[in-house]
Amino acid sequence: MLTSIEQDGHVLHLRTRESFNLFDIDSVSLIIGPNGSGKSRFLQRTVEQFASRRLPDFGSDCQLVFNYVDQRKPQDWGVVYYTPVQNRIAFRAQKHFVDASQRREQDLLQLYEHREIIESFGLKINLLVKLRADEKKVGDFLALALVEDEKGRYASKRHQPQLRSIRDLKARLERFSDFNGDQRELTYLQNQYKRELSLLSGYVLDDLRTREPAASNVLTALCATFHHMQKQNYDILSYIALIDEHLPSSYFQHIDPGSLQQKKHVGSRRLFRYILERLDNFAFEKGPRGVYQYALTNEQERLHFASDREGPFEMVLPGMSSGQWAIFNQIISLYEAIKRLAAPPAGNRASPREPITKLLVLIDEGDAFLHLAWQRKYIWQMNKFLSECKHTFGLTLLQLIIASHSPLLASDVPGEFVCQLNLEDHAQNKGRAASNDDFIEPDTTSPSFAAPLHAILNRSFGAVTIGEFAVRRINAAIAALKAGTYGPQEKYLISVVDDPIIQRELQRLVPHTEHQSQ
């Protein structure tokens, strides 16, 4: 078992003989300190110490301390590192090391595959399939296409008089002068053009609806197909050809398929059939803004949409926050990394090796992007999750080290397993190796486990519990009150201070004459 790590005059304890382990995994330790104090560097050096070396590294400023059984075998361990932040540190390739941060961000189908893991972490996955098929936008698109088809390539002659009046309005708008034209006339022409175009859009859609068989999804499938075709720059004739094939409209002429780009035409027909088949087989519900959605209820249904990564159907988790997504991505990346080390694929002759049974997990600011309520649960949930991983993969040892800025995480770790770094020590020790005489035991009197947050902030993190803006405003008010000034700003500030002690002390500084006038 790894009992401690010594670096730059600091000791991070993982286990001691005197302490009873409170966690379900073999240890949980915490590194705290401000930005630039060397937390990430501490983890990086730790990873490097597990690298396989034929000769000792005399220049190392990091020392791993194991119990007697593991004293000479650090290379038998596996190490997993993870951070959600973008400015990641770089690691050299090592045989038994996985940088889980390098995994690409999880997609929703992968989340569904790891549903049991995610739900054991206290999260729920309720996947929806969404399809965009906005009839109003498609109608407007077709109406504008008809108006712009002045050469009659596809617009039906039957509706030419109706189209001609809209084209006249459009021509008048294009000739209108912004310098000497009447603004009221311009507003009238714009409103009239929009109104006529909107009416034409409605007529086109009504005409398509009357030609659709009862209880059919053809129009919805056409609209969804058109939405997807717009992303790929299809010619307008491809749209009209699909309408002509499935819902022949009096507004459009017959399109000869031989005049189309055959590859794209075949692709659009295939896409339409693909969408229509799924609309017929799944009870999609129409939502606002032309969005249809269906709630996936089982694994078999998911497989119907598994291949649609770049297609018209989109997997969504309704109401998912950035914090939830950060947790989803983190636990799956960690799970896959642990699996890779603890359960290597069978029959790999290229690099055969025995499964890892001892594992050290390093998480650098894993609580980043999480709401305070999620930070409060982070240690508990990570302990539970890694305990299940230890059982699943038959690990004999699993130890966790977390680097964090969060006082909420510090309140969940006993003080003897918290290592506090600071900017001064990092600046002094940067660029030199530490000798054994340099090591300083951490100040275990700093509050951590189950301590009030204000005590942890003040003594462990060296921070005050009030925002800087509020502190400066209160100090300015104190100076003004001591100088005998008590104006509207000071009066308002005192009224909005929510700390009763600070408010009472400010009231004591109010000039005596002001107390009497109140």
Side-chain angles (χ1 to χ4, degrees):
M1 179 178 295
L2 184 61
T3 59
S4 65
I5 304 173
E6 302 173 352
Q7 288 190 36
D8 289 342
H10 293 279
V11 179
L12 174 66
H13 290 288
L14 285 79
R15 286 291 291 273
T16 63
R17 291 182 179 181
E18 296 77 15
S19 300
F20 181 83
N21 182 32
L22 299 176
F23 301 98
D24 298 312
I25 55 178
D26 296 282
S27 70
V28 175
S29 302
L30 187 67
I31 305 171
I32 61 175
N35 287 329
S37 61
K39 297 187 300 299
S40 296
R41 179 62 177 152
F42 193 106
L43 298 181
Q44 185 181 36
R45 290 168 177 169
T46 300
V47 171
E48 291 170 353
Q49 283 302 104
F50 280 90
S52 299
R53 295 187 181 93
R54 294 183 178 179
L55 297 174
D57 184 1
F58 294 109
S60 173
D61 52 3
C62 173
Q63 181 179 353
L64 306 178
V65 180
F66 294 87
N67 61 3
Y68 179 77
V69 175
D70 296 309
Q71 185 67 36
R72 297 181 181 276
K73 299 180 179 180
Q75 290 78 25
D76 291 344
W77 284 63
V79 182
V80 172
Y81 172 86
Y82 178 83
T83 181
V85 298
Q86 293 185 349
N87 297 326
R88 300 166 178 161
I89 54 181
F91 295 96
R92 296 194 299 266
Q94 295 179 206
K95 183 178 180 182
H96 294 163
F97 168 71
V98 176
D99 183 356
S101 315
Q102 300 299 327
R103 271 182 67 86
R104 64 182 179 83
E105 196 171 72
Q106 314 300 327
D107 62 32
L108 293 178
L109 290 174
Q110 287 176 308
L111 294 183
Y112 203 96
E113 292 168 2
H114 294 83
R115 185 169 190 163
E116 291 184 3
I117 303 170
I118 291 171
E119 290 185 350
S120 72
F121 208 75
L123 302 169
K124 294 291 183 183
I125 296 182
N126 297 309
L127 278 179
L128 291 180
V129 180
K130 292 176 66 175
L131 177 69
R132 186 162 183 77
D134 193 331
E135 291 184 5
K136 177 65 169 58
K137 291 201 171 188
V138 169
D140 292 345
F141 166 73
L142 294 175
L144 185 60
L146 286 170
V147 171
E148 292 179 346
D149 183 29
E150 298 184 11
K151 295 183 179 180
R153 289 195 305 157
Y154 46 82
S156 170
K157 295 180 180 179
R158 171 181 169 184
H159 297 281
Q160 286 301 320
Q162 182 183 12
L163 296 175
R164 192 177 300 116
S165 65
I166 303 178
R167 289 171 185 153
D168 289 343
L169 283 170
K170 180 183 176 184
R172 290 175 63 184
L173 281 170
E174 291 172 349
R175 293 194 302 267
F176 196 87
S177 172
D178 291 331
F179 295 99
N180 52 19
D182 187 340
Q183 186 62 40
R184 289 175 298 179
E185 181 184 0
L186 175 62
T187 302
Y188 168 79
L189 289 174
Q190 288 175 335
N191 291 338
Q192 189 68 9
Y193 176 73
K194 290 179 182 177
R195 178 178 175 276
E196 293 292 333
L197 201 61
S198 178
L199 286 173
L200 178 59
S201 171
Y203 295 149
V204 172
L205 288 175
D206 287 342
D207 185 69
L208 294 175
R209 292 187 187 105
T210 59
R211 299 168 191 279
E212 184 178 29
S216 171
N217 294 306
V218 173
L219 181 57
T220 302
L222 279 175
C223 291
T225 304
F226 289 172
H227 274 285
H228 200 67
M229 288 168 63
Q230 279 193 321
K231 301 175 184 178
Q232 302 174 13
N233 298 321
Y234 273 78
D235 182 84
I236 183 62
L237 289 178
S238 297
Y239 295 86
I240 309 306
L242 278 181
I243 292 176
D244 186 41
E245 182 177 351
H246 299 286
L247 293 177
S249 169
S250 64
Y251 280 88
F252 301 99
Q253 299 182 37
H254 172 70
I255 301 296
D256 181 10
S259 64
L260 304 173
Q261 295 179 344
Q262 288 303 305
K263 186 175 180 179
K264 282 197 168 186
H265 180 54
V266 170
S268 63
R269 295 178 70 193
R270 185 185 300 116
L271 176 63
F272 168 78
R273 290 194 296 268
Y274 171 78
I275 295 174
L276 183 61
E277 178 186 1
R278 277 149 184 77
L279 288 176
D280 288 340
N281 290 316
F282 298 94
F284 277 79
E285 295 183 0
K286 185 176 182 180
R289 300 176 183 175
V291 175
Y292 291 75
Q293 62 185 34
Y294 177 77
L296 293 172
T297 59
N298 56 58
E299 179 75 6
Q300 190 62 34
E301 289 184 344
R302 182 189 69 82
L303 293 175
H304 282 279
F305 300 94
S307 61
D308 197 55
R309 303 294 176 95
E310 303 295 334
F313 294 97
E314 178 188 5
M315 298 283 187
V316 296
L317 273 173
M320 183 179 69
S321 67
S322 59
Q324 286 175 312
W325 184 252
I327 285 291
F328 288 153
N329 197 65
Q330 181 173 163
I331 60 178
I332 293 176
S333 296
L334 287 171
Y335 179 86
E336 292 293 336
I338 294 171
K339 179 181 178 181
R340 177 177 165 185
L341 290 174
N348 186 2
R349 296 183 178 180
S351 57
R353 65 172 175 81
E354 293 295 323
I356 295 296
T357 60
K358 303 169 187 176
L359 194 68
L360 178 64
V361 177
L362 308 173
I363 301 179
D364 194 355
E365 297 188 46
D367 54 292
F369 315 114
L370 300 186
H371 185 271
L372 289 176
W374 284 63
Q375 290 183 27
R376 178 179 169 273
K377 299 177 181 179
Y378 185 80
I379 294 287
W380 166 259
Q381 291 176 323
M382 194 58 65
N383 168 64
K384 182 174 181 288
F385 163 64
L386 291 177
S387 175
E388 292 177 358
C389 288
K390 180 182 177 182
H391 175 75
T392 299
F393 297 113
L395 299 171
T396 58
L397 281 174
L398 197 158
Q399 296 180 262
L400 171 64
I401 299 174
I402 300 173
S404 175
H405 297 286
S406 174
L408 284 163
L409 269 64
S411 71
D412 265 346
V413 179
E416 60 185 321
F417 302 117
V418 178
C419 180
Q420 183 174 345
L421 307 181
N422 55 65
L423 291 171
E424 290 78 12
D425 287 345
H426 182 58
Q428 292 172 4
N429 291 298
K430 188 175 182 181
R432 71 171 179 84
S435 67
N436 289 335
D437 295 334
D438 291 330
F439 290 119
I440 303 169
E441 288 292 332
D443 180 11
T444 55
T445 61
S446 296
S448 58
F449 190 76
L453 283 183
H454 65 84
I456 296 175
L457 278 168
N458 287 333
R459 295 178 59 188
S460 296
F461 284 79
V464 296
T465 55
I466 301 176
E468 183 66 17
F469 180 82
V471 168
R472 291 181 179 271
R473 286 300 187 191
I474 290 172
N475 287 339
I478 291 172
L481 291 170
K482 287 182 176 180
T485 303
Y486 182 69
Q489 180 169 313
E490 289 73 25
K491 183 177 181 180
Y492 173 75
L493 183 138
I494 293 173
S495 71
V496 297
V497 170
D498 282 333
D499 187 308
I501 296 176
I502 296 176
Q503 188 179 61
R504 183 171 64 248
E505 293 303 310
L506 288 171
Q507 288 285 4
R508 289 179 59 252
L509 295 174
V510 174
H512 184 66
T513 54
E514 295 294 338
H515 278 298
Q516 290 180 336
S517 64
Q518 290 178 8

